[in-house]
Amino acid sequence: MTEKLELLEEHRSFDGVQRKYRHYSTVLGCDMTFSLFLPNKEKFEAPPLVWWLSGLTCTDDNFTHKAGAQKKAAELGLALLMPDTSPRGDDVADDADWDLGQGAGFYLNATQEPWARNFRMYDYIVTELTGIVREAFGLTGAESIMGHSMGGHGALVIGLRNPGRFRSISAFAPIVNPMEVPWGIKAFSAYLGENQENWAESDASKLLAKHDGKQVPILIDQGTDDGFYDGQLQPEKLAEIADEKGYPLTLRMQNGFDHSYYFIASFIDEHLEFHQKHL
């Protein structure tokens, strides 16, 4: 697959290299971009991989440019992989609202028209992009996954559905119970249809409640001044389920922090250290 990748950017960053690629996705039926940070290959020949899934309206650039993760990743010897948040292009279905359509893929496989043809982000992450980075970059070792907001939802769902694959999961201000909040209800109704029985496999709270397999440690940070906290996020719901099940989940309420990348940049080093401990 290496010859199918187009290198768009390459920058030396601390003791590593930050790159951005474009490729055609057969799963999504459009061109996609992703960003990849690799630590010094002379020091870390086969680094473990940490996935980052971004939130609504974002691309792979938001984390790369704003989180300040490269310094700690280089120090710990971690590769970082940042996909885009949805399929994109003139021929890809879209919506006038910012919380549906392009930039709002919700990391699921849509079953309803006009979304079903392109919006298959779960398969893209778990299967297609996984195959590309393993073949092209030799990243075949241990993996962890993290994300922010909609991407925190994606990290939790993908991590819980693939517990044998990921060593740890973390999230900043995640949507933990999308079946019960406006963002999730709107997206799930459009992408998955009105039958809510089909929604549960894309809801972290539902997945954790019935989870009886391998336990993957989870770390969640939530800002107390996050404007979306009460109406859209409510991470304590997931923490309560974890507590009832004896599941290893740590929820940290961070006083005064909001939903922005200033919040993410303040604690990203601790999240990377959390993952490195389990990788």
Side-chain angles (χ1 to χ4, degrees), residues 53 122 126 144-146 152-170 175-178 200-220 238-239 241-242 245 247-249:
L53 305 184
Y122 181 88
V126 173
S144 291
I145 191 166
M146 62 179 177
H153 142 78
L156 289 165
V157 167
I158 291 173
L160 288 169
R161 287 178 62 178
N162 299 272
R165 173 172 170 180
F166 296 101
R167 302 284 182 87
S168 53
I169 306 166
S170 76
I175 307 170
V176 303
N177 191 194
E201 69 174 6
S202 296
D203 186 301
S205 294
K206 301 295 184 184
L207 290 170
L208 188 61
K210 69 177 185 180
H211 186 82
D212 60 2
K214 179 182 178 182
Q215 293 188 334
V216 182
I218 298 174
L219 171 64
I220 295 175
L238 194 68
I241 296 170
K245 295 177 69 70
Y247 194 96
L249 184 152

Side-chain angles (χ1 to χ4, degrees), residues 125-156:
I125 297 293
V126 173
T127 303
E128 185 178 23
L129 188 55
T130 294
I132 289 172
V133 298
R134 287 179 178 176
E135 181 177 336
F137 307 105
L139 297 172
T140 59
E143 295 175 272
S144 291
I145 191 166
M146 62 179 177
H148 171 230
S149 194
M150 178 187 72
H153 142 78
L156 289 165

Side-chain angles (χ1 to χ4, degrees), residues 71-147:
K71 182 177 182 179
K72 180 58 68 171
E75 175 188 320
L76 298 176
L78 300 175
L80 303 176
L81 177 59
M82 291 71 72
D84 201 349
T85 53
S86 79
R88 298 181 190 270
D90 294 340
D91 297 328
V92 174
D94 201 6
D95 191 88
D97 290 338
W98 60 271
D99 54 358
L100 187 68
Q102 295 186 36
F106 270 83
Y107 303 100
L108 51 73
N109 291 336
T111 60
Q112 305 299 303
E113 297 301 333
W115 313 104
R117 182 170 69 91
N118 302 106
F119 281 71
R120 303 186 60 81
M121 287 298 293
Y122 181 88
D123 282 353
Y124 173 69
I125 297 293
V126 173
T127 303
E128 185 178 23
L129 188 55
T130 294
I132 289 172
V133 298
R134 287 179 178 176
E135 181 177 336
F137 307 105
L139 297 172
T140 59
E143 295 175 272
S144 291
I145 191 166
M146 62 179 177

